[in-house]
Amino acid sequence: MKFIPLFIALALGLAGCAGDPSRLSVTAAPSEMSVRVAVRSILVGEIALPEYANAQEVVRQSEDGLIEAVPGVIWADIPEDAMANALVRNLSQITNASVARAPWPLANLPDAELTVRVEQMLVRFDGQLSLSGQFAVRRDDGPWGERLRTFEIAVPTTGQNLPDLADAHAVAWRQLAEQIARQL
């Protein structure tokens, strides 16, 4: 019986020595695109991801089509926040507008508001990152000011390493920002 507390202490000590998971951080993929838009300011509002894509674990599709966690890898940031930040950065670079996340930080209200609802954000078994869903742009300048569009983006991953997965997400998020910029 004397050995049980010692065994538990040893097991807990060894568990504490296990390495922390690697964290996947997405760095912006710069765009070559430049669009002059009719709005001066854009609010990046709600970004909604499916539950599996917004979890702490990075996921992929297995051979049998199931969604599984990539072992030992978690997101460095909440995926919805990372995607929103990437859209702000990319739209700021691509357009001539001031772009910020909600809540709006300036005194004057924004000229346009963006909402993105993602249906799928998943590295498929074939090695493609699939990003699909719908975005809405709301402007208060008449009946032509509102836009509702779907998007289907597929970006090949060059491998299963962390930099490969991060690069694929950065490229997909940049392509989404480019599609949105064309609608402003």
Side-chain angles (χ1 to χ4, degrees), residues 7-70:
F7 178 73
I8 292 172
L10 181 61
L12 290 174
L14 289 174
C17 293
D20 289 334
S22 299
R23 293 184 177 265
L24 181 65
S25 179
V26 179
T27 304
S31 178
E32 300 293 321
M33 184 177 182
S34 178
V35 175
R36 189 150 183 84
V37 295
V39 296
R40 294 172 301 174
S41 56
I42 305 163
L43 170 70
V44 175
E46 180 187 7
I47 305 292
L49 298 178
E51 184 177 342
Y52 70 83
N54 203 40
Q56 186 177 20
E57 297 81 19
V58 177
V59 298
R60 65 181 172 209
Q61 185 182 43
S62 66
E63 267 186 70
D64 55 5
L66 298 175
I67 297 173
E68 64 182 15
V70 177

Side-chain angles (χ1 to χ4, degrees), residues 24-27 161-171:
L24 181 65
S25 179
V26 179
T27 304
N161 296 325
L162 285 180
D164 301 323
L165 296 174
D167 290 347
H169 281 84
V171 169

Side-chain angles (χ1 to χ4, degrees), residues 123-181:
V123 177
R124 299 185 316 226
F125 179 69
D126 64 4
Q128 297 278 323
L129 170 65
S130 176
L131 178 65
S132 62
Q134 184 180 58
F135 67 86
V137 176
R138 185 190 55 76
R139 294 175 25 191
D140 292 329
D141 59 354
W144 303 108
E146 295 182 337
R147 305 270 193 281
L148 190 60
R149 301 286 187 264
T150 59
F151 58 90
E152 292 276 339
I153 297 169
V155 175
T157 57
T158 57
Q160 292 296 315
N161 296 325
L162 285 180
D164 301 323
L165 296 174
D167 290 347
H169 281 84
V171 169
W173 295 349
R174 184 201 66 217
Q175 288 179 9
L176 176 57
E178 290 171 346
Q179 287 183 27
I180 292 166

Side-chain angles (χ1 to χ4, degrees), residues 106-128:
L106 304 178
N108 292 329
L109 294 176
D111 296 331
E113 182 177 340
L114 171 67
T115 301
V116 179
R117 294 202 170 85
V118 176
E119 295 169 357
Q120 185 177 62
M121 186 171 78
L122 181 64
V123 177
R124 299 185 316 226
F125 179 69
D126 64 4
Q128 297 278 323

